Amino acid sequence: MVLKGIFNEAEKMDIIIKNPLKYLQTPRIPKKVPRYWNAIETNKFLRFTRDDELYPLYVIALNTGCRRGELAALKWHQILFDGNLLEISATRDRFGRKETTKNGKNRFIGMNSIVRMTFLNLFKKRTSDDYVFVHADDSTLRVNHLYRYFKKAQIDTGLENIITFHNLR
């Protein structure tokens, strides 16, 4: 396609008479079948990672469908316990926090009882009023490392169906 574009420009600039790739059709690449966990795999993963410092993050991701950057950017003031809602209005990437979501729209996600209890437990143990998900030493999560931790946890669990963090959505 890049070469076809170059030839198109060359034809427009009268460098060549006719684009030899004008009628070239790109082959269709079939979409991959998405991979998900079934209930047994999910329960096995959650049982095995119960003592992992990222266990609460995994539980929240499984129950809300939030992106990893949204979870890493989540601050305590965005958890609305009175309304049972999460306010998703920011994301974090390897360059830092951005005060916007991927699509530029803020949204609210309802908390089920599991999410609420997980946040309440985290709230009791918190040591700062800043980010919800931090390492045990209070350092912020490095978003670009979350997928590594997640993959390692799956391998350590013994799961054969390895999925990406995004598949939790």
Side-chain angles (χ1 to χ4, degrees):
M1 291 310 297
V2 172
L3 193 56
K4 186 176 178 180
I6 291 169
F7 280 131
N8 279 339
E9 287 301 312
E11 186 178 11
K12 287 178 190 174
M13 297 169 66
D14 290 328
I15 296 172
I16 61 173
I17 298 171
K18 186 177 179 187
N19 180 351
L21 301 179
K22 185 174 185 175
Y23 299 105
L24 177 70
Q25 295 292 319
T26 56
R28 296 279 180 215
I29 299 170
K31 290 184 177 182
K32 291 181 182 177
V33 176
R35 298 170 76 173
Y36 302 103
W37 286 337
N38 59 32
I40 294 168
E41 292 167 318
T42 303
N43 289 330
K44 181 178 180 179
F45 178 78
L46 290 175
R47 275 194 314 274
F48 186 84
T49 58
R50 187 167 297 279
D51 295 328
D52 189 319
E53 71 176 353
L54 295 176
Y55 174 78
L57 184 126
Y58 300 146
V59 170
I60 302 300
L62 279 163
N63 282 278
T64 63
C66 288
R67 295 177 175 91
R68 65 187 167 122
E70 294 168 345
L71 291 173
L74 194 61
K75 292 189 174 187
W76 284 110
H77 72 271
Q78 294 174 278
I79 301 173
L80 310 173
F81 287 109
D82 291 338
N84 247 10
L85 294 170
L86 297 178
E87 178 187 1
I88 306 299
S89 60
T91 190
R92 278 185 46 218
D93 60 16
R94 62 186 173 159
F95 302 112
R97 184 179 168 93
K98 295 179 182 174
E99 296 299 325
T100 182
T101 60
K102 182 179 175 182
N103 67 4
K105 297 178 183 176
N106 295 354
R107 68 184 189 281
F108 290 89
I109 298 174
M111 290 191 277
N112 64 21
S113 60
I114 296 169
V115 171
R116 184 176 175 81
M117 286 306 299
T118 303
F119 279 131
L120 286 172
N121 289 335
L122 282 173
F123 189 74
K124 290 175 192 173
K125 298 175 188 175
R126 83 187 192 295
T127 56
S128 75
D129 288 332
D130 211 16
Y131 291 108
V132 174
F133 298 107
V134 293
H135 289 291
D137 64 357
D138 257 356
S139 62
T140 57
L141 291 176
R142 296 188 60 186
V143 180
N144 51 329
H145 290 186
L146 279 179
Y147 73 93
R148 292 180 196 160
Y149 302 140
F150 182 60
K151 184 173 183 178
K152 183 181 181 318
Q154 291 178 78
I155 292 168
D156 292 347
T157 301
L159 292 174
E160 292 180 22
N161 184 16
I162 305 296
I163 64 172
T164 65
F165 196 91
H166 191 77
N167 289 126
L168 296 178
R169 289 182 53 95

